[in-house]
Amino acid sequence: MLRILFLTHAFNSLTQRLYIELQQQGHEVSVEFDINDTVAIEAVNLYQPDLIIAPFLKRAIPESIWKKTTCLIVHPGIAGDRGPSALDWAIINNEILWGVTVLQANEEMDAGDIWATQEFMTRHVSKASLYRNEVTEAATLAVLKSVKLYEGGSFIPQPLDYSNAENLIEPRKSLVKIKGQFQPLMTQTDRKIHWYEDTTETVLRKIRSADGFPGVLDDIMGREFFLYDAHEEQQLRGKPGELIAYCGGAICRATTDGAVWIGHLRDKQAHHPFKLPATHLLEQTIQHLPEIVADQMTGYRDIWYEQEGDVGYLHFPFYNGAMGTEQCQRLHRAYIEACQQKTKVIVLMGGADFWSNGMHLNLIEAAQSAADESWNNINAINDLALEIINTNSHLTIAALQGNAGAGGVFLARAVDEIWASQGVILNPHYKDMGNLYGSEYWTYLLPRYAGQENAERIIQARLPIGTQDALSLGLINEVIEKKGAFFVQDVKKRAADMADVPAYSSRLEYKRKRREVDEQYKPLAEYRKSELDKMHMNFFGFDPSYHIARYNFVYKVAKSRTPLTIALHRRTSSIINNKTRRAV
Ligand code: COA
């Protein structure tokens, strides 16, 4: 068992995944945010780790640290790739094969000795989606391999040597092939869209390579915006660069050979410099544009229904998993319609990257009254959750292709069974959002499915939970050891089987009875009222913690310290245990 310290810019999804995977292997993991050199050195002195891992770092590790303790850096590039825009270049250059490399920190950034590298096939998706899926899977494999090698004690990592490149006729079997090179920071000039020259494919690639950060800077009607969330339009056409329609929150802009939908923008100059639905920022402009109703052939679809045999599938790939009031209301209507179909099972598919992350904090921040909008948003989610809990006509499934956080986890728990793709991370807590109490009937749902004791444990922990723990805690019902399209395929097979078994009717009957009994014991309205009383205090009360935490989250205010929940070395007991260990 190793003591492993994570030095990381943030406790992001990849860091959370590695945190869980390494703990599952029996290692102890503590986390320190990379705030400044002094704090990092202090953390190493307090914890005295066997190994340091940097899953997501934006700057170099101080020399005094890497000279004394082995530091492994996770770089989202193939072996030999160097530089801060690895994935951006991979997407712009249309790389088919990309990778993640684990290398040892030394005096030159990304040029250390190689411990492991793991390649993957890219997809035509945003940088963030590639990061949350392929990069995360590859990084997990490469880090676990590196840690095993480190534990073995005899492995000598391979120095980065560009003469061992692709033209090497017969590389030694054990040698990693150096395929990459140094690539500079990608600038807005590199990313610039030339609307009169670029094809749809190029425009999509440019926007996706910068999504979620920093976005492609562009001019829309004389104002500067960063563009995100781009999708191809199949039918509409116009003069290159022209805005030709809007649909839901998205605007449509013509290219030289087609058109693209742009779902989200960030206003460079405005006092709300965070991502918002495009139409939200272009209210005046869209008044002159035709509104398109999305269908399979045209428009920007953030909710759609498909049916196969006795099973209905509701997809809702909301950008970043955030569900605003209006989105919840539309999803609620779509859900009611799905329930009216002659099917037996409804599967709530969420999106490929996130199932749901609860209330839309950016829209709340941008609202005239954040408290009122929070109230509307939580009530809209609750209405949807209530509809799902009270569904008597169908068995219901939540198929988690991607992660879920806060209210999104409890909304998922409103169904009869949650099936999660292996590697999904759940953050079933609200406390990091300024001690928000939370709603979505969690006070009913958690004890109902996880039991009272586990419910307490889940809520108090404030920690991400992997699928194995979520399963044993009763938070989810099944882990499917598949990812992406293979997961969806498996879900479809299982859902069809569920609709087909002779026990279907008795399960549905049991579900109705159970709900009746639960309702008699304590009505759902009472759970809702007591949760919302506390949420009302969070939104409108004297304590501004939620509003401050939300502001910090939306404006991405850098953290000034690592939460004690993950910084083991900053807890008193851990420091005492460490007194006998060596210092940096
Ligand atoms: N509203 C608006 N945006 C949200 C969001 C929400 N509820 N949840 C996540 N996002 C955005 C983030 O701002 C980030 O945006 P970016 O692309 O501009 O960087 C993006 O989604 C990814 O989130 P990130 O925090 O980087 O992902 P993660 O996988 O590391 O962490 C969570 C996931 C869920 C733990 C974290 O995003 C979170 O705490 N979200 C807030 C959940 C919440 O409190 N909801 C309200 C109560 S119901």
Side-chain angles (χ1 to χ4, degrees):
M1 189 273 263
L2 298 178
R3 285 165 82 85
I4 301 176
L5 179 69
F6 280 3
L7 263 185
T8 184
H9 178 73
F11 198 42
N12 71 346
S13 55
L14 170 59
T15 312
Q16 294 185 10
R17 173 74 184 279
L18 295 175
Y19 178 82
I20 288 166
E21 296 278 352
L22 287 165
Q23 282 181 333
Q24 267 169 13
Q25 302 288 316
H27 302 295
E28 185 186 272
V29 185
S30 191
V31 182
E32 184 69 38
F33 291 159
D34 181 36
I35 292 161
N36 61 45
D37 286 1
T38 316
V39 171
I41 291 166
E42 181 186 71
V44 177
N45 278 332
L46 285 171
Y47 195 48
Q48 296 167 30
D50 301 307
L51 180 65
I52 294 172
I53 298 180
F56 171 48
L57 211 53
K58 294 197 172 176
R59 46 179 223 123
I61 293 177
E63 187 174 326
S64 68
I65 294 181
W66 59 256
K67 278 220 159 133
K68 292 204 173 143
T69 311
T70 303
C71 298
L72 301 183
I73 313 280
V74 179
H75 176 73
I78 47 175
D81 180 82
R82 294 177 55 204
S85 305
L87 286 174
D88 312 47
W89 287 115
I91 294 172
I92 285 287
N93 295 336
N94 224 352
E95 302 285 357
I96 294 167
L97 206 65
W98 199 241
V100 172
T101 304
V102 174
L103 30 92
Q104 190 162 337
N106 67 9
E107 52 274 284
E108 232 186 313
M109 193 91 167
D110 299 340
D113 297 353
I114 296 167
W115 280 75
T117 187
Q118 183 68 39
E119 293 186 344
F120 56 81
M121 301 285 288
T122 60
R123 287 177 299 138
H124 295 298
V125 291
S126 71
K127 174 172 65 165
S129 183
L130 213 54
Y131 186 82
R132 289 185 190 116
N133 293 284
E134 284 78 0
V135 170
T136 299
E137 292 307 313
T140 304
L141 291 174
V143 166
L144 292 182
K145 183 176 173 194
S146 306
V147 170
K148 268 225 148 54
L149 292 171
Y150 180 82
E151 272 184 302
S154 59
F155 180 73
I156 300 170
Q158 176 185 319
L160 177 61
D161 175 3
Y162 284 103
S163 65
N164 158 25
E166 283 209 87
N167 59 4
L168 207 68
I169 300 166
E170 267 188 60
R172 273 212 333 268
K173 227 175 149 203
S174 60
L175 224 55
V176 170
K177 230 181 192 179
I178 305 300
K179 299 179 182 174
Q181 56 179 336
F182 175 80
Q183 303 191 89
L185 176 75
M186 192 180 280
T187 63
Q188 285 297 339
T189 313
D190 300 316
R191 300 183 195 274
K192 188 164 176 54
I193 296 173
H194 305 285
W195 290 100
Y196 288 95
E197 293 165 22
D198 289 347
T199 60
T200 300
E201 200 264 334
T202 307
V203 172
L204 287 175
R205 212 144 23 89
K206 285 182 175 173
I207 300 177
R208 286 172 179 162
S209 74
D211 196 347
F213 181 81
V216 172
L217 190 59
D218 194 29
D219 183 299
I220 300 178
M221 314 293 278
R223 261 165 82 186
E224 282 192 301
F225 292 98
F226 293 95
L227 315 184
Y228 307 90
D229 187 20
H231 305 269
E232 183 172 0
E233 160 58 30
Q234 303 294 338
Q235 288 185 331
L236 302 176
R237 299 293 178 260
K239 250 180 42 214
E242 189 184 26
L243 288 183
I244 49 178
Y246 78 98
C247 176
I251 49 166
C252 188
R253 200 160 185 186
T255 63
T256 53
D257 62 347
V260 293
W261 288 99
I262 298 162
H264 282 76
L265 301 174
R266 179 160 61 90
D267 196 332
K268 194 176 174 214
Q269 271 92 33
H271 64 292
H272 286 147
F274 46 81
K275 291 174 192 167
L276 285 168
T279 53
H280 198 93
L281 291 167
L282 294 171
E283 261 171 328
Q284 300 295 324
T285 311
I286 60 165
Q287 281 176 11
H288 312 290
L289 297 177
E291 182 178 2
I292 298 294
V293 179
D295 62 30
Q296 265 182 325
M297 289 309 292
T298 187
Y300 172 88
R301 290 199 304 168
D302 58 1
I303 298 176
W304 72 89
Y305 176 78
E306 54 169 347
Q307 198 171 309
E308 285 180 28
D310 285 332
V311 187
Y313 298 90
L314 202 49
H315 298 263
F316 45 100
F318 297 135
Y319 188 67
N320 281 340
M323 299 171 69
T325 307
E326 185 268 341
Q327 285 165 312
C328 293
Q329 289 164 344
R330 274 193 294 123
L331 185 56
H332 189 171
R333 286 197 292 274
Y335 181 77
I336 292 173
E337 264 179 48
C339 289
Q340 287 161 352
Q341 307 307 310
K342 283 202 165 60
T343 49
K344 292 178 168 176
V345 175
I346 294 174
V347 187
L348 299 179
M349 299 294 289
D353 291 342
F354 292 107
W355 195 84
S356 166
N357 279 330
M359 296 194 298
H360 200 311
L361 299 170
N362 292 23
L363 279 174
I364 290 172
E365 193 61 43
Q368 281 219 317
S369 160
D372 285 334
E373 189 48 34
S374 304
W375 184 252
N376 295 340
N377 204 159
I378 197 64
N379 273 290
I381 297 191
N382 279 0
D383 292 344
L384 172 60
L386 182 64
E387 195 76 46
I388 300 170
I389 298 169
N390 278 332
T391 302
N392 279 333
S393 54
H394 290 72
L395 291 180
T396 54
I397 308 294
L400 273 54
Q401 307 170 63
N403 298 348
V409 180
F410 301 112
L411 180 66
R413 198 50 285 182
V415 301
D416 301 319
E417 287 195 13
I418 300 181
W419 302 344
S421 172
Q422 191 268 329
V424 154
I425 306 286
L426 304 176
N427 273 283
H429 51 86
Y430 309 84
K431 290 225 165 87
D432 289 342
M433 201 48 68
N435 278 324
L436 201 58
Y437 185 76
S439 193
E440 296 95 5
Y441 300 90
W442 74 264
T443 52
Y444 166 64
L445 294 167
L446 255 198
R448 153 89 172 79
Y449 287 96
Q452 193 61 46
E453 211 175 296
N454 283 347
E456 294 288 331
R457 209 175 291 164
I458 291 167
I459 285 297
Q460 294 308 328
R462 283 192 190 204
L463 287 172
I465 298 182
T467 41
Q468 286 313 325
D469 283 343
L471 189 64
S472 58
L473 286 165
L475 191 58
I476 62 173
N477 302 83
E478 200 138 348
V479 183
I480 299 179
E481 304 276 328
K482 294 196 170 128
K483 306 292 299 175
F486 297 108
F487 171 76
V488 173
Q489 218 174 25
D490 208 293
V491 164
K492 290 194 168 176
K493 192 179 164 307
R494 285 166 194 247
D497 289 349
M498 188 181 222
D500 203 30
V501 289
Y504 171 82
S505 304
S506 53
R507 277 200 67 179
L508 199 61
E509 191 48 31
Y510 171 78
K511 169 178 157 168
R512 282 190 198 123
K513 288 254 162 64
R514 170 83 202 239
R515 185 76 280 288
E516 264 174 37
V517 172
D518 285 357
E519 187 68 17
Q520 273 166 14
Y521 179 70
K522 181 173 171 180
L524 285 172
E526 271 183 39
Y527 289 99
R528 180 167 178 153
K529 181 173 182 321
S530 81
E531 289 170 8
L532 286 182
D533 281 350
K534 297 185 179 88
M535 288 292 259
H536 198 272
M537 288 296 285
N538 290 142
F539 300 156
F540 298 96
F542 179 70
D543 176 2
S545 301
Y546 157 69
H547 297 289
I548 294 169
R550 189 195 60 244
Y551 176 93
N552 289 343
F553 178 83
V554 169
Y555 282 85
K556 303 194 184 303
V557 174
K559 293 257 190 321
S560 57
R561 65 180 189 89
T562 315
L564 288 181
T565 42
I566 48 175
L568 293 186
H569 54 283
R570 296 198 179 274
R571 296 190 202 156
T572 331
S573 56
S574 161
I575 295 170
I576 292 163
N577 289 342
N578 279 343
K579 281 228 161 123
T580 52
R581 295 172 72 97
R582 78 195 147 76
V584 169

